[in-house]
Amino acid sequence: MKGKIFKRKIYSKILQWKEENNGGTALLIEGARRVGKSTIVREFAEKEYESFIIIDFNKVDSVIKDLFNNLNDLDYLFLVLQTEYHVSLKKRKSVIIFDEVQKCPQARQAIKYLVEDGRYDYIETGSLISIKQHTQNITIPSEEDRISMYPMDFEEFEWAIGNSNLIETLKIFWNQKKSLGNLHRSIMKDFRLYMLVGGMPQAVEEYIETNDFSKVDKVKRRILKLYEDDFLKIDSTGRLSKLFISIPSQLSRNARRYSINSVVGRQTEDTILEMVKALADSKTVNVAYHSDDPNVGMNLTKNDQNFKLYIADTGLFITLIFWDKDFIENIIYQKLLLDKLSANLGYVYENLVSQMLVSKGNELFYYTWKKDDKHYYEIDFLISSGFKLCPIEVKSSNVKSHISLDLFYQKFSSRIYRNYLVAPHEYSQDGEVTIIPPYFLPFIK
């Protein structure tokens, strides 16, 4: 079963690019390592083209890389590629894939001329694609469309474990603004399973194959170690790795922002911005910025100095929480699955909500304001809905209290479309606050 191909929503986006552009641009698929980029482009090439070549720049030798240093004779380049890969390319019916293209910046720069030539389609995949060392001394091609690939979302996870119609059912209940009643408990169990396993395809495959959380945890640890090694290549001081590993502990503090100085010591403003950008570019982290004046167009009031960091995959986040252990005992997973772990899991749900919002194309913003000299009120997330805002508060329990949402509504009522409290409870309405279980989150607009 190893190497199982899962149904992914990004397939339709790639198909749309192919049909609409007809070779007029290349497509760059960005995403964290092990998120499934190589698998999806191979599947797409096999189904949508008569022939294809995949150049894996992690493995390819210098002979192939050197081809892209001189583009005066494209006939020669295509001849060598066809000979090397034993593939016959056909005009407008073949695709050439540059896998992990950041490893060969000259190949990415060549996209301009390859697209202009027009014989074949080109798809690039990359992680850490915008890191300075991968872009310096080259011209980024304007003939390049970009889409991001994220860990499997809840619907894709449900497809993987054999529940193909659940989301359509949920959508019916959402449109009717109804609770699921007795179904709620079983769906929340599925949802907690998704939280624990996460959306990295290798972890999902291991769960389906073994039904053993300890083996799933080992897969996730290998992925996290891979990320750690990548960060060390970017920053040999280890600061990026420390910032990444400290995300769960920073969120558990329930502070107004990520305190970089408490993790890696005092840094200059420019260094902080550079480190946060590197983490964001890795696609392993989602960054939420403070909005100093929450309104539509929150980028205009984004505070670069006040931010929170979230892990892009909550399954990896769970493993990072217990990073000090060699493995997470199955009993801990079982308690989390049954919602019986005594620890406050609010920050776990918060990380999950950040992941779900980003996968739907939202940028992340939050808002805080003073309660007294030592305390603050906080809205966990703010998203736009047309010309208004939807404030979102996240809780793992106690939905009866939502003071921050109530006061935020009093403060900015003319700017608000709807207030949401996301918690593992059934759908309900409490005054101006709509309480929704996390499985309804993809439907809010």
Side-chain angles (χ1 to χ4, degrees), residues 31-34 37 58 100 102-103 127-128 131 133-134 222-236 238 240-241 278-279 282 284:
R33 296 246 260 153
R34 296 294 187 265
K37 302 184 299 297
N58 268 326
E100 298 297 348
Q102 77 279 357
K103 297 289 186 178
S127 53
L128 302 161
I131 299 298
Q133 68 193 56
H134 296 150
R222 286 197 294 270
I223 295 172
L224 288 168
K225 188 64 174 66
L226 187 67
Y227 291 172
E228 188 176 20
D229 291 343
D230 284 342
F231 291 140
L232 286 171
K233 292 174 185 175
I234 300 168
D235 175 20
S236 60
L240 283 181
S241 294
L279 287 172
S282 75
T284 64

Side-chain angles (χ1 to χ4, degrees), residues 200-385:
M200 304 305 283
Q202 288 178 328
V204 175
E205 182 176 358
E206 190 67 33
Y207 167 73
I208 294 171
E209 190 173 71
T210 68
N211 200 36
D212 186 331
F213 280 139
S214 66
K215 291 182 178 179
V216 173
D217 190 63
K218 288 177 182 178
V219 170
K220 292 191 290 178
R221 285 175 184 270
R222 286 197 294 270
I223 295 172
L224 288 168
K225 188 64 174 66
L226 187 67
Y227 291 172
E228 188 176 20
D229 291 343
D230 284 342
F231 291 140
L232 286 171
K233 292 174 185 175
I234 300 168
D235 175 20
S236 60
T237 68
R239 290 175 303 182
L240 283 181
S241 294
K242 288 180 181 178
L243 293 179
F244 180 80
I245 291 171
S246 298
I247 289 175
S249 63
Q250 286 281 318
L251 286 176
S252 70
R253 292 167 58 242
N254 198 29
R256 292 176 57 220
R257 60 181 179 175
Y258 191 110
S259 175
I260 282 188
N261 293 342
S262 68
V263 178
V264 294
R266 188 166 295 279
Q267 306 292 324
T268 67
E269 183 177 316
D270 287 346
T271 300
I272 290 174
L273 291 174
E274 187 177 321
M275 289 192 295
V276 173
K277 184 179 186 305
L279 287 172
D281 284 345
S282 75
K283 304 297 183 182
T284 64
V285 168
N286 295 323
V287 185
Y289 288 100
H290 191 275
S291 173
D292 290 342
D293 181 20
N295 209 335
V296 174
M298 283 176 286
N299 269 311
L300 298 175
T301 61
K302 180 172 76 173
N303 188 329
D304 288 331
Q305 301 305 310
N306 288 345
F307 55 83
K308 292 187 177 186
L309 301 180
Y310 298 92
I311 303 297
D313 179 70
T314 302
L316 298 181
F317 182 86
I318 294 284
T319 295
L320 267 185
I321 293 175
F322 300 99
W323 193 242
D324 57 327
K325 295 179 178 290
D326 288 336
F327 62 93
I328 302 180
E329 298 177 16
N330 271 345
I331 187 65
I332 296 176
Y333 267 115
Q334 291 294 349
K335 285 187 175 182
L336 280 168
L337 181 62
L338 298 173
D339 203 20
K340 292 185 177 180
L341 196 64
S342 59
N344 181 2
L345 292 180
Y347 62 101
V348 178
Y349 279 99
E350 189 178 334
N351 193 91
L352 183 64
V353 169
S354 76
Q355 176 184 342
M356 296 177 75
L357 290 175
V358 167
S359 71
K360 294 291 290 183
N362 295 287
E363 292 186 61
L364 299 181
F365 295 93
Y366 69 102
Y367 180 67
T368 62
W369 71 102
K370 268 194 172 185
K371 178 180 181 181
D372 53 44
D373 289 341
K374 294 184 178 179
H375 303 92
Y376 284 78
Y377 295 109
E378 179 174 329
I379 299 298
D380 294 316
F381 300 103
L382 292 163
I383 62 172
S384 298
S385 178

Side-chain angles (χ1 to χ4, degrees), residues 21-47:
N21 286 274
N22 192 31
T25 62
L27 180 67
L28 172 62
I29 302 174
E30 296 183 84
R33 296 246 260 153
R34 296 294 187 265
V35 82
K37 302 184 299 297
S38 299
T39 302
I40 196 69
V41 295
R42 175 178 286 276
E43 179 192 10
F44 186 81
E46 289 174 345
K47 290 182 177 179

Side-chain angles (χ1 to χ4, degrees), residues 38-280:
S38 299
T39 302
I40 196 69
V41 295
R42 175 178 286 276
E43 179 192 10
F44 186 81
E46 289 174 345
K47 290 182 177 179
E48 307 297 338
Y49 293 92
E50 291 188 15
S51 65
F52 63 92
I53 289 174
I54 298 180
I55 306 173
D56 184 349
F57 286 112
N58 268 326
K59 300 177 181 178
V60 76
D61 59 32
S62 59
V63 173
I64 298 298
K65 287 185 177 180
D66 289 344
L67 289 172
F68 298 97
N69 291 327
N70 185 347
L71 298 175
N72 289 329
D73 189 350
L74 292 181
D75 289 339
Y76 176 73
L77 183 147
F78 296 137
L79 179 63
V80 173
L81 290 179
Q82 291 177 95
T83 303
E84 182 73 19
Y85 288 92
H86 308 291
V87 170
S88 177
L89 294 173
K90 302 178 181 180
K91 188 174 181 179
R92 302 302 321 132
K93 295 180 179 179
S94 298
V95 61
I96 300 176
I97 295 167
F98 295 167
D99 202 13
E100 298 297 348
V101 71
Q102 77 279 357
K103 297 289 186 178
C104 185
Q106 294 303 318
R108 188 178 179 200
Q109 180 172 258
I111 284 295
K112 172 181 175 61
Y113 306 101
L114 295 172
V115 169
E116 188 177 90
D117 173 74
R119 271 177 267 188
Y120 314 115
D121 282 354
Y122 299 90
I123 299 176
E124 309 160 86
T125 76
S127 53
L128 302 161
I129 197 74
S130 300
I131 299 298
K132 185 176 180 181
Q133 68 193 56
H134 296 150
T135 57
Q136 60 188 2
N137 302 322
I138 71 164
T139 301
I140 304 300
S142 58
E143 300 79 6
E144 182 183 79
D145 291 332
R146 295 192 189 189
I147 56 176
S148 293
M149 188 171 188
Y150 302 104
M152 297 167 71
D153 65 18
F154 181 49
E155 183 172 15
E156 290 171 326
F157 179 80
E158 287 291 298
W159 291 341
I161 63 175
N163 298 333
S164 58
N165 298 316
L166 175 61
I167 302 302
E168 289 304 313
T169 301
L170 293 180
K171 192 179 295 184
I172 293 171
F173 280 87
W174 169 258
N175 289 335
Q176 295 177 356
K177 299 295 183 280
K178 286 184 177 180
S179 167
L180 272 72
N182 293 334
L183 278 174
H184 169 77
R185 182 172 294 183
S186 64
I187 294 174
M188 277 308 304
K189 186 174 180 179
D190 260 15
F191 201 86
R192 288 192 296 272
L193 175 63
Y194 169 61
M195 291 169 66
L196 291 167
V197 175
M200 304 305 283
Q202 288 178 328
V204 175
E205 182 176 358
E206 190 67 33
Y207 167 73
I208 294 171
E209 190 173 71
T210 68
N211 200 36
D212 186 331
F213 280 139
S214 66
K215 291 182 178 179
V216 173
D217 190 63
K218 288 177 182 178
V219 170
K220 292 191 290 178
R221 285 175 184 270
R222 286 197 294 270
I223 295 172
L224 288 168
K225 188 64 174 66
L226 187 67
Y227 291 172
E228 188 176 20
D229 291 343
D230 284 342
F231 291 140
L232 286 171
K233 292 174 185 175
I234 300 168
D235 175 20
S236 60
T237 68
R239 290 175 303 182
L240 283 181
S241 294
K242 288 180 181 178
L243 293 179
F244 180 80
I245 291 171
S246 298
I247 289 175
S249 63
Q250 286 281 318
L251 286 176
S252 70
R253 292 167 58 242
N254 198 29
R256 292 176 57 220
R257 60 181 179 175
Y258 191 110
S259 175
I260 282 188
N261 293 342
S262 68
V263 178
V264 294
R266 188 166 295 279
Q267 306 292 324
T268 67
E269 183 177 316
D270 287 346
T271 300
I272 290 174
L273 291 174
E274 187 177 321
M275 289 192 295
V276 173
K277 184 179 186 305
L279 287 172

